[in-house]
Amino acid sequence: MPVVVTGAGGGIGRVVVPMLAARGEVRAVVRRNAGAEELRSAGAKVAACDLADTATLATVLDGAHTVVHLAGGLDLPGEAAYEAANLTTVQDTLEASVDAGVRRFVLLSYPGASPAAANPYLRAKGRAEAAVADSGLERVVLRCTHVYGPGQRWLRETRAAATRPLLALVIGSGAQRVAPVFVDDVGRAIVAADDRAASVEGTLGLQGPDELTADELADVLAGRRRRKLHLSPLSAHRASRILGRPVSMTALEILAADSVTDAPDAAAEFHLLRTNLRAGLIRSDVLAGR
């Protein structure tokens, strides 16, 4: 039965859509037509649709078995924007999914998501998880750590900070633990969540197999040990504004904190072999294959 992917034009969507299309019909929902041709070339039927237009969205979802919800955002201008991107899009898509008779909902989330979280991103994600749990649909919430791969923004900007002249730049103390997960592994977990024949319910975590500190990751990305400049989220926020490339405090708080799973292991649940960090960075054209 068809699978619908919202936020299909993003970095994860462009990976998971071809994986799903190799198995059957995929409908990719994007906000704008830019990038639609790439998704069509991957085998998807593409609909440009505002998720708030639930009547049109329900038409797109008609006859679908699973919705994979990837729409959302981390670096946004304020609390209202976090709620709109990470909660309201979920609520609208759930409404359309129920109207269309969709059976299963797969939500991409992040470790630490909680309706009671102080961080606006984590709070919106937590409320979105609660909305999915209350929807009556079969559900898989997939809490992924930092996702990396070719063209992924987190990898691009983390590597740029690690390879700055004179000093590598690290947000936070550098002692925070991170276990980045390769984008193809996220895609395989999503495919497995849709493939599961039996009813599925619950929250799972997915991280890469290599856990290290942020300082150690900077050295891996730079190819050698380097001296570090550590910036608190507040200092980094002020510096980004001075440089004319503002980054939200909310996003910087996420970058300064641990990024490791806090839910049952999705890799074990779906019998997935995860890509080790070195192999993933080679495939991302960040390290030479040697």
Side-chain angles (χ1 to χ4, degrees):
M1 294 179 70
V3 180
V4 178
V5 181
T6 65
I12 297 173
R14 291 195 300 271
V15 170
V16 75
V17 163
M19 291 182 177
L20 291 166
R23 302 157 49 257
E25 181 182 337
V26 179
R27 303 170 191 169
V29 180
V30 296
R31 283 186 299 173
R32 306 178 191 85
N33 279 316
E37 197 53 46
E38 178 185 349
L39 294 168
R40 290 191 183 97
S41 298
K45 298 178 180 179
V46 181
C49 173
D50 189 326
L51 298 180
D53 183 356
T54 55
T56 299
L57 184 58
T59 301
V60 175
L61 300 180
D62 185 50
H65 176 273
T66 301
V67 169
V68 177
H69 189 82
L70 303 179
L74 173 59
D75 186 15
L76 299 172
E79 186 159 354
Y82 282 100
E83 183 167 306
N86 297 294
L87 173 60
T88 305
T89 61
V90 174
Q91 294 170 328
D92 290 339
T93 306
L94 284 170
E95 179 183 333
S97 297
V98 171
D99 289 346
V102 167
R103 178 175 172 184
R104 186 171 297 173
F105 199 95
V106 179
L107 174 67
L108 190 71
S109 191
Y110 190 80
S114 168
N119 181 277
Y121 174 73
L122 297 179
R123 185 164 60 250
K125 285 290 189 184
R127 292 177 64 193
E129 291 185 6
V132 173
D134 291 340
S135 69
L137 302 177
E138 293 181 15
R139 71 187 190 279
V140 175
V141 173
L142 191 62
R143 291 185 173 182
C144 295
T145 57
H146 297 314
V147 179
Y148 73 99
Q152 295 287 326
R153 181 183 175 186
W154 174 82
L155 176 61
R156 181 177 67 250
E157 296 187 356
T158 304
R159 183 172 186 267
T163 55
R164 290 174 69 255
L166 302 180
L167 294 172
L169 175 61
V170 177
I171 307 301
S173 69
Q176 67 266 36
R177 307 295 299 181
V178 296
V181 58
F182 190 53
V183 65
D184 286 26
D185 297 345
V186 178
R188 282 190 283 270
I190 290 170
V191 170
D194 175 54
D195 269 344
R196 181 66 60 86
S199 176
V200 291
E201 293 224 350
T203 299
L204 299 171
L206 185 65
Q207 68 175 44
D210 301 296
E211 185 176 322
L212 62 171
T213 68
D215 275 354
E216 290 167 340
L217 176 62
D219 290 339
V220 169
L221 294 173
R224 60 187 175 89
R225 291 189 64 179
R226 302 191 65 207
R227 293 178 62 196
K228 313 290 191 305
L229 172 63
H230 296 101
L231 291 181
S232 69
L234 179 59
S235 296
H237 177 65
R238 288 171 174 166
S240 72
R241 289 173 62 88
I242 291 171
L243 294 172
R245 298 192 298 274
V247 180
S248 74
M249 273 290 294
T250 295
L252 291 165
E253 287 171 358
I254 296 293
L255 295 176
D258 291 344
S259 183
V260 294
T261 55
D262 59 353
D265 185 13
E269 177 68 24
F270 295 129
H271 308 291
L272 302 175
L273 292 176
R274 296 167 299 167
T275 306
N276 69 61
L277 181 61
R278 180 170 181 78
L281 292 175
I282 289 172
R283 291 172 61 183
S284 303
D285 296 324
V286 168
L287 296 182
R290 60 179 186 272

